[in-house]
């Protein structure tokens, strides 16, 4: 006799969410949770979060009858942190239990934490245990230490507990007894009943010996560590198939530069659930996108498509792989067959998706259990490699989704240790193929005076981060501090639902823009933030209008771009940028916080980028010069951002205005590509380019684009080549003051390169500091990028690979002492890069990099059916057949 009244209140908004869901996910989204509770701890009344889900305060709630007054508010609001449920907390200085009279069966329990000072309670004093019925979910947990190690603003933890054994679900918070002043806190609790997703499969345990069956018992508590939409996009709880799960983009976790290719289903392939794979297994969006290794057999044979995630050692993990073939010609058994490795052991040979699923468009998943020995945190490796023994038609592998669940230990506990404090100075243990770290030599660069040349700043000066998960990505992986470089996102510590959906007092505006995607600011708020558009806060002026530095939420710095109503670029660019930014997210792309569209104003609010533009660190500046390694790392970051635009999103996005003022640097020197105001998504399938009015910046313009007014992704590659030369030579792309043959940097640099005179034009500061092999690799890459004919230019994926390799060459030269680091202070430049130290590894790097790797090329299917020159054809709408 579970009190029906309790469950009446969610039904109204449930209905609303489900309408949305059905709309988004298409069909078969039939799972309706019996219990669905969203408790906004520390507050009273109802409030919506950024996904439009309605939360109820716990003050006076039936789940917490003794909590009859309001909780505490967080002392500050980080810009990525949404009002609901994060800005209020319930604080406990002695044990407290919430009792939820839910029905029997498994429940998802999601705990939301925003580490912050709450009144007199300092965030560093919060150490506590959380138990659910007889399961320990967290022990001696410090949200503060965990979030700062991950570089996140807030955290979500997801558990699954079967409540059948007792009446209801008790959630107990207990301050740690070993820490003085310890207290417990919680910002939000979500409880959703769920079908039995864990017993759907029949996993075996792999320990090195023969696999043994390892069924997931109904009473085992589980913790979700990662849930990735492989080859696809972030999916918010309302985009899930009924269980309100969050699915993250997998690209953060991919090892090295070998990203394979991501793609979505052929338009004539319908992805539909089957009897063995009900809709609640995963949303169709997960099965409709995939990542494969790429079209080149030789490349595929020489690498493993690898994801690395950080987990707590000492636990069993259920690793679930979601598969679905979604492109022709993959319809038959033994066409694509591969190995699956977890932690370097083979968990599956002869993996053949069609053999499992019996057809294209049919989802299937496979479960494996592995044990991790030791204690503390460790990396888990998940890798795929072609299984050539089966002599398949294609040497390739595919993955659509990946979930990793921790299984409770014999003490019914899921609790891991707090992460160690972040290393100081940061050491990047994760670097192998030169995964970029941008600030190892941070100390070497001290912010100097104000840049000259403000004139050059165009609109979009100081941006960063992302609408939905900005900061999360911006801050974490890009800056890879120590092992946390591999840690990012997912439930293990996410700050995804980052938007602050402020319930605004000035809410009566009518907007055509996606209010749910970004925060809306009133004009009054913008005026306050910029002190009435005070000219002393001006950061730059560009075609679009002016960019101001501003302050919101009592101390968060932002960049505010105010559209100039007179500029012809107006409304269209404004809307393009909001649309683009709110859909895309990557740690090397800028992050939109919100916008204001009142009084005919068009205003965009971005994170503030402490180090400004790349250009202002190159020339016409009083700032100290960047070291060569820093420049390489910045180029690699920007290349990653562009590579993501070209291949990572659902639609191909061509930036169209790549230049050094559109590459911004955050406080950790992480490069972010900015200014999508001119971006264009690709044409429909039957076109090979976007025909468009020529836009972009002189000096960076692809000559072919200019001649034929046809835009391909290779236009961005050209512009990026100019950026590379600019970084090397520290001079503008175009300098009319110079003799005619030297005016265009691209032409002049290529000329010098061909004549073997490149040394004469490189930045004098860099002379003698660049390893010769590195310089050669870099200059060759830049030269190929600016090839006159776009088909001769490499893809951004190739460029990225080559730059990573150039960085490796530089690092090994610096370590061997054959070249000076260019760092004038005491900062040790590099600490033990194992790969480079280990001579046996060097050949493998060399092999892989030199054989024209075409990571990021096209998928098998497109090579098959289209043209052999991947880039010539740039059908952007991600050409459902390519990539
Ligand atoms: C899903 O929907 C499709 C068509 O809408 C239908 O053919 C299929 O049987 C449904 N699958 C399930 C599992 O309900
Ligand atoms: C939180 O409180 C502690 C001690 O009271 C103080 O040192 C710290 O600066 C505060 N942090 C913030 C972000 O306010
Ligand atoms: C918790 O464990 C105790 C004894 O170990 C048992 O009596 C009790 O029923 C359990 N409670 C639940 C909710 O399982
Ligand atoms: C919960 O546990 C009970 C008994 O322990 C079991 O019958 C039931 O199937 C379980 N439910 C789920 C969803 O695992
Ligand atoms: C599906 O479309 C692709 C091109 O998009 C084509 O190559 C393939 O033959 C089509 N298959 C069927 C069965 O229609
Ligand atoms: C897997 O192998 C790689 C190198 O081959 C090694 O660095 C890594 O530590 C191994 N991972 C595990 C979990 O053993
Ligand atoms: C792929 O991973 C497996 C397991 O760690 C390893 O044995 C194999 O050498 C790797 N292959 C390549 C090409 O890296
Ligand atoms: C279970 O708890 C006992 C006592 O607290 C401890 O000694 C033991 O190591 C724990 N076992 C595991 C697997 O954590
Ligand atoms: C709790 O965690 C802190 C930080 O990791 C650690 O220093 C302390 O020893 C832990 N306390 C206990 C009782 O495990």
């Amino acid at each position: 006799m579970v009190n029906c009244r309790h469950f009446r209140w969610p039904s109204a908004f449930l209905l609303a969410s489900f309408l949305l869901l059905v709309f988004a996910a298409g069909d078969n989204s039939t799972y309706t949770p019996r219990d669905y509770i969203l408790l906004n701890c520390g507050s009273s009344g109802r409030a919506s979060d950024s996904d439009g889900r309605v939360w109820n305060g716990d003050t006076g709630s039936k789940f917490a009858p003794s909590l009859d007054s309001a909780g505490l508010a967080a002392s500050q609001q980080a810009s990525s942190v949404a009002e609901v449920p994060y800005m209020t907390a319930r604080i406990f200085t002695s044990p407290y239990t919430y009792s939820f009279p839910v029905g029997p069966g498994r429940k998802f329990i999601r705990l939301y934490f925003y580490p912050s000072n709450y009144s007199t309670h300092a965030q560093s004093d919060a150490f506590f245990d959380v138990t659910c019925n007889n399961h320990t979910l967290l022990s001696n947990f410090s949200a503060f230490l965990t979030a700062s190690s991950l570089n996140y603003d807030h955290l979500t933890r997801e558990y699954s507990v079967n409540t059948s054994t007792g009446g209801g679900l008790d959630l107990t918070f207990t301050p740690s007894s070993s820490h003085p002043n310890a207290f417990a806190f919680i910002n939000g609790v979500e409880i959703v009943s769920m079908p039995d997703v864990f017993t759907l499969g029949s996993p075996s345990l792999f320990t090195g010996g023969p696999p043994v069956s390892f069924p997931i018992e109904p009473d085992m508590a589980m913790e979700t560590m990662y849930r990735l939409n492989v080859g696809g996009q972030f999916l918010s709880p309302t985009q899930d198939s009924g269980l309100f799960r969050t699915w993250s983009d997998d690209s953060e976790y991919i090892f090295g530069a070998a990203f394979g290719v991501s793609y979505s289903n052929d338009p004539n392939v319908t992805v539909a659930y089957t009897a063995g794979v009900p809709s609640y297994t995963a949303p169709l969006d997960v099965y409709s996108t995939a990542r494969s290794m790429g079209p080149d057999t030789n490349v595929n044979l020489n690498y493993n498509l690898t994801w690395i995630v950080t987990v707590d050692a000492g636990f069993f993990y259920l690793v679930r792989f979601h598969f679905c073939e979604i492109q022709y010609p993959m319809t038959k058994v033994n066409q694509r067959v591969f190995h699956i490795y977890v932690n370097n052991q083979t968990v599956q040979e002869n993996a053949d998706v069609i053999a499992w699923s019996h057809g294209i468009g049919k989802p299937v998943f496979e479960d494996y259990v592995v044990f991790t020995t030791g204690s503390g945190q460790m990396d888990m490796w998940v890798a795929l490699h072609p299984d050539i023994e089966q002599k398949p038609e294609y040497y390739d592998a595919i993955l659509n989704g990946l979930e990793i669940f921790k299984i409770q230990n014999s003490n019914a506990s899921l609790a891991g240790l707090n992460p160690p404090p972040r290393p100081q100075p940061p050491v990047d243990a994760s670097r192998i193929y030169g995964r970029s770290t941008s600030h190892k030599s941070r100390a070497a660069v001290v912010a100097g005076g104000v840049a000259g040349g403000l004139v050059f700043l165009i609109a979009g000066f100081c941006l960063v981060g992302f609408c939905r998960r900005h900061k999360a990505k911006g801050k974490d992986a890009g800056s890879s501090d120590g092992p946390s470089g591999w840690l990012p996102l997912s439930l293990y510590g996410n700050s995804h639902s980052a938007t602050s959906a402020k319930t605004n007092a000035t809410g009566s505006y009518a907007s055509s823009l996606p209010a749910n995607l970004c925060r809306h600011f009133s004009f009054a708020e913008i005026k306050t933030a910029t002190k009435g558009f005070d000219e002393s806060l001006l950061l730059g002026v560009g075609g679009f209008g002016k960019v101001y530095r501003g302050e919101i939420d009592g101390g968060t710095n932002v960049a505010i771009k105010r559209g100039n109503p007179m500029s012809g670029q107006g409304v269209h660019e404004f809307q393009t940028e909001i649309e683009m930014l709110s859909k895309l997210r990557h740690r090397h792309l800028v992050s939109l916080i919100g916008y204001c569209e009142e009084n005919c104003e068009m205003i965009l609010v971005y994170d503030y980028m402490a180090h400004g533009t790349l250009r202002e660190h190159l020339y016409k500046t009083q700032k100290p010069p960047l070291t060569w390694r820093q420049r390489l790392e910045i180029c690699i970051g920007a290349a990653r951002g562009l590579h993501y635009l070209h291949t990572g999103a659902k639609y191909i996005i061509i930036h169209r205005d790549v230049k050094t003022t559109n590459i911004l640097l955050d406080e950790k020197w992480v490069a972010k590509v900015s200014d999508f105001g001119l971006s264009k998504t690709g044409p429909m399938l039957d076109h090979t380019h976007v025909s468009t009015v020529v836009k972009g910046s002189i000096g960076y313009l692809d000559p072919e684009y200019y001649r034929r007014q046809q835009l391909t992704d290779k236009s961005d590659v050209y512009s990026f080549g100019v950026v590379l030369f600019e970084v090397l030579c520290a001079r503008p792309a175009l300098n009319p003051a110079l003799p005619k043959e030297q005016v265009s940097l691209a032409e002049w640099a290529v000329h010098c390169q061909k004549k073997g005179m490149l040394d004469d034009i490189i930045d004098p500061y860099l002379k003698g500091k660049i390893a010769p092999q590195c310089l050669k690799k870099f200059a060759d890459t830049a030269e190929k990028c600016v090839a006159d004919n776009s088909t001769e230019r490499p893809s951004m994926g190739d460029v990225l690979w080559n730059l990573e390799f150039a960085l490796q060459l530089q690092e090994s030269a610096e370590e061997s002492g054959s070249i000076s680091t260019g760092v004038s202070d005491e900062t040790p430049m590099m600490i033990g890069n194992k790969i480079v130290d280990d001579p046996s590894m060097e050949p493998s790097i060399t092999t892989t990099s030199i054989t024209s790797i075409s990571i990021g090329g096209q998928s098998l299917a497109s090579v098959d059916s289209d043209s052999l020159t991947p880039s010539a054809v740039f059908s952007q709408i991600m050409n459902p057949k390519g990539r």
Side-chain angles (χ1 to χ4, degrees):
M1 64 146 241
V2 179
N3 182 347
C4 307
R5 271 174 46 239
H6 286 178
F7 305 104
R8 180 121 330 141
W9 60 263
S11 60
F13 68 87
L14 254 188
L15 186 66
S17 328
F18 272 77
L19 285 177
L20 184 73
L21 200 110
V22 167
F23 192 72
D27 52 13
N28 299 27
S29 301
T30 47
Y31 183 77
T32 309
R34 179 182 182 284
D35 301 311
Y36 179 40
I37 297 167
L38 290 169
L39 198 63
N40 186 9
C41 302
S43 83
S44 54
R46 294 159 142 228
S48 322
D49 66 13
S50 47
D51 287 315
R53 301 197 292 164
V54 179
W55 296 64
N56 272 28
D58 70 345
T59 310
S61 152
K62 57 206 84 165
F63 311 125
S66 61
L67 302 177
D68 49 13
S69 57
L72 296 175
S75 65
Q76 86 279 2
Q77 181 173 17
S79 59
S80 73
V81 172
E83 186 84 25
V84 178
Y86 294 108
M87 287 310 290
T88 57
R90 191 58 72 176
I91 306 290
F92 306 110
T93 51
S94 58
Y96 185 82
T97 300
Y98 287 97
S99 292
F100 301 95
V102 293
R106 275 199 182 272
K107 306 281 173 285
F108 272 130
I109 299 162
R110 302 194 178 104
L111 305 179
Y112 295 80
F113 298 105
Y114 176 37
S116 163
N117 288 351
Y118 290 94
S119 179
T120 56
H121 300 280
Q123 52 185 347
S124 52
D125 285 336
F127 283 93
F128 55 97
D129 300 350
V130 181
T131 59
C132 176
N133 294 357
N134 283 350
H135 307 278
T136 301
L137 307 185
L138 290 165
S139 177
N140 187 38
F141 173 62
S142 167
F144 168 65
L145 291 176
T146 306
S148 46
S149 153
L150 293 161
N151 225 341
Y152 290 162
D153 290 327
H154 57 91
L155 304 168
T156 307
R157 287 285 184 274
E158 181 184 276
Y159 303 93
S160 171
V161 172
N162 187 344
T163 56
S164 63
T165 44
L169 188 156
D170 286 351
L171 198 57
T172 303
F173 293 82
T174 310
S176 172
S177 52
S178 60
H179 187 89
N181 302 326
F183 67 98
F185 78 98
I186 179 73
N187 301 87
V189 176
E190 174 179 356
I191 294 176
V192 184
S193 30
M194 59 185 287
D196 196 355
V197 298
F198 301 112
T199 51
L200 276 179
S202 43
S204 291
L205 169 66
F206 292 81
T207 53
V212 292
S213 172
F214 192 105
I216 304 299
E217 304 290 345
D219 61 347
M220 284 176 173
M222 312 284 283
E223 177 179 353
T224 310
M225 304 299 286
Y226 297 90
R227 179 175 288 130
L228 308 180
N229 179 12
V230 176
Q233 297 183 302
F234 169 83
L235 299 177
S236 72
T238 48
Q239 294 170 303
D240 188 34
S241 50
L243 302 179
F244 300 101
R245 292 165 297 200
T246 297
W247 297 79
S248 312
D249 170 353
D250 69 313
S251 57
E252 291 298 316
Y253 303 95
I254 291 180
F255 173 63
F259 275 62
V261 293
S262 58
Y263 55 91
S264 45
N265 58 317
D266 251 331
N268 54 9
V269 171
T270 306
V271 180
Y273 297 112
T274 60
V277 184
S279 63
Y280 52 75
T281 314
L284 287 178
D285 281 348
V286 169
Y287 291 115
S288 309
T289 56
R291 189 178 297 282
S292 70
M293 297 186 76
D296 188 326
T297 297
N298 291 327
V299 171
N300 294 355
L301 288 177
N302 281 309
Y303 89 105
N304 284 348
L305 183 53
T306 305
W307 293 260
I308 300 187
V309 295
T310 299
V311 297
D312 295 308
F315 287 90
F316 289 94
Y317 288 91
L318 173 67
V319 185
R320 172 166 293 181
F321 293 77
H322 296 271
F323 299 106
C324 187
E325 287 291 1
I326 49 178
Q327 288 197 347
Y328 292 101
M330 296 298 176
T331 54
K332 296 195 283 290
V333 171
N334 213 42
Q335 282 186 307
R336 165 147 60 191
V337 184
F338 52 96
H339 288 285
I340 303 176
Y341 305 103
V342 177
N343 277 343
N344 299 341
Q345 51 176 323
T346 308
V347 297
Q348 182 75 55
E349 288 176 326
N350 199 3
D352 185 333
V353 175
I354 293 290
W356 284 329
S357 69
H358 306 298
I360 190 166
K362 296 190 173 149
V364 66
F365 64 88
E366 293 293 323
D367 288 347
Y368 308 93
V369 173
V370 294
F371 183 66
T372 55
T373 49
S375 70
Q377 297 179 327
M378 62 173 287
D379 286 341
M380 178 183 281
W381 293 53
V382 172
L384 308 178
H385 190 75
D387 185 345
I388 53 171
E389 267 131 62
Q390 303 302 323
K391 299 203 168 44
E393 195 174 335
Y394 301 99
Y395 289 173
D396 196 5
I398 182 176
L399 185 61
N400 305 61
L402 181 67
E403 290 179 286
I404 299 178
F405 302 99
K406 188 199 280 179
I407 303 171
Q408 70 172 34
N409 68 16
S410 52
N411 290 349
S413 172
L414 286 161
L417 301 178
N418 288 320
R422 288 213 281 163
Q424 287 289 338
V427 175
D428 185 9
S430 64
R431 166 188 300 243
I432 298 205
Y433 278 160
R435 183 169 254 253
S436 69
T437 50
S438 310
H439 59 287
K440 250 179 277 148
S441 47
R442 163 166 52 189
V445 183
V446 181
V450 179
L454 264 189
V455 191
F456 279 91
L457 300 182
I458 64 122
F461 174 83
C462 284
L463 330 173
V464 79
F466 247 84
C467 218
R468 241 157 221 287
R469 51 202 265 192
H470 78 280
K471 229 140 207 188
K473 294 221 160 185
K475 284 170 71 179
D476 63 54
S479 50
S480 336
D481 283 5
S484 68
W486 293 119
L487 281 185
L489 303 190
S490 140
L491 293 143
Y492 189 63
N494 82 43
S495 77
H496 282 171
S497 47
T499 3
S500 179
K502 279 211 155 167
T503 33
N504 217 303
T506 55
S508 62
Y509 64 98
S511 175
S512 56
L513 289 163
N516 58 328
L517 290 178
C518 292
R519 173 162 165 186
H520 173 260
F521 289 88
S522 68
F523 189 62
E525 281 177 288
I526 299 285
K527 258 168 85 178
T528 311
T530 55
K531 304 204 171 96
F533 302 102
D534 187 338
E535 296 284 307
S536 71
L537 295 173
L538 204 57
L539 291 169
V541 183
F544 180 88
K546 292 179 172 177
V547 185
Y548 298 86
R549 177 173 180 155
E551 213 179 89
I552 58 168
D553 303 333
T556 306
N557 278 321
V558 292
I560 295 179
K561 180 165 151 184
R562 184 185 193 189
N564 170 7
M566 293 294 111
S567 84
Q569 297 195 299
V571 183
H572 182 70
E573 269 81 7
F574 182 66
Q575 302 207 341
T576 309
E577 186 146 358
I578 291 187
E579 259 170 52
M580 292 272 172
L581 286 175
S582 46
K583 281 186 210 138
L584 294 171
R585 43 186 199 284
H586 190 269
R587 69 176 184 269
H588 294 293
L589 298 181
V590 299
S591 174
L592 183 65
I593 295 173
Y595 65 95
C596 167
E597 207 195 12
E598 235 170 76
N599 304 341
C600 304
E601 291 277 353
M602 296 179 296
I603 295 170
L604 294 172
V605 180
Y606 300 90
D607 261 356
Y608 177 68
M609 293 286 276
H611 286 299
T613 68
L614 170 58
R615 178 172 304 171
E616 73 195 76
H617 297 279
L618 292 176
Y619 49 87
K620 290 190 187 149
T621 179
Q622 274 136 46
K623 300 191 176 180
L626 300 171
T627 65
W628 179 237
R629 281 248 307 254
Q630 278 178 310
R631 296 185 204 197
L632 279 173
E633 285 170 352
I634 289 165
C635 292
I636 287 169
R640 272 186 200 280
L642 289 172
H643 178 57
Y644 177 78
L645 286 180
H646 290 176
T647 65
K650 200 157 190 166
Y651 304 105
I652 286 187
I653 289 159
I654 299 171
H655 186 290
R656 301 211 295 170
D657 201 12
V658 176
K659 53 184 173 181
T660 46
T661 45
N662 278 341
I663 296 170
L664 305 180
L665 302 168
D666 75 2
E667 73 283 359
K668 291 175 176 159
W669 300 96
V670 175
K672 316 262 179 182
V673 176
S674 84
D675 207 335
F676 299 86
L678 296 175
S679 302
K680 270 250 193 243
T681 45
M684 302 310 290
L685 291 185
D686 48 342
H687 295 232
T688 57
H689 58 269
V690 184
S691 185
T692 167
V693 185
V694 173
K695 286 190 181 176
S697 300
I698 300 173
Y700 295 92
L701 260 189
D702 170 7
E704 197 173 82
Y705 171 31
Y706 195 76
R707 277 196 304 273
R708 301 168 43 189
Q709 312 229 328
Q710 288 179 350
L711 184 69
T712 71
D713 61 330
K714 294 300 179 69
S715 312
D716 284 350
V717 172
Y718 181 93
S719 309
F720 191 71
V722 178
V723 167
L724 294 178
F725 280 127
E726 209 175 327
V727 162
L728 180 67
C729 304
R731 61 150 275 193
L734 217 55
N735 186 351
L738 291 171
K740 190 159 157 270
E741 69 279 9
Q742 300 183 23
V743 169
S744 157
L745 172 59
E747 282 171 27
W748 179 236
V750 168
H751 172 83
C752 294
Q753 159 96 334
K754 291 208 167 101
K755 290 258 147 66
M757 298 158 28
L758 194 64
D759 273 342
D760 298 347
I761 64 165
I762 71 173
D763 183 355
Y765 169 80
L766 296 173
K767 291 244 162 79
K769 292 174 185 149
I770 308 180
Q773 323 85 292
C774 172
L775 178 59
K776 182 170 185 320
K777 182 99 236 164
F778 185 90
D780 284 351
T781 307
E783 184 185 347
K784 287 201 188 94
C785 289
V786 299
D788 215 38
N789 187 340
S790 65
T791 57
E792 284 157 23
R793 295 175 206 149
S795 71
M796 252 355 268
D798 292 334
V799 174
L800 176 56
W801 220 106
N802 281 293
L803 293 177
E804 297 256 11
F805 185 53
L807 178 62
Q808 281 301 314
L809 293 170
Q810 180 69 13
E811 285 178 349
S812 23
E814 284 178 14
E815 268 163 44
S816 70
S818 65
I819 200 90
S820 111
T821 62
V823 179
S824 48
D825 68 7
E826 69 300 335
T827 315
M829 278 306 292
M830 185 60 200
I831 301 120
N833 179 332
K834 288 219 179 66
I835 287 299
V836 179
D837 280 349
D838 177 355
S840 66
M841 293 301 291
E842 275 192 275
S844 79
I845 290 176
T846 315
T847 330
T848 15
S849 72
I850 287 171
T851 56
S852 71
I853 301 280
S854 90
I855 293 153
Q858 292 199 303
S859 77
L860 288 170
S862 69
V863 166
D864 213 41
S865 57
D866 253 40
S867 119
L868 293 169
T869 45
S871 37
V873 188
F874 225 136
S875 2
Q876 339 202 307
I877 283 251
M878 182 27 276
N879 66 32
K881 23 171 63 170
R883 300 144 27 74

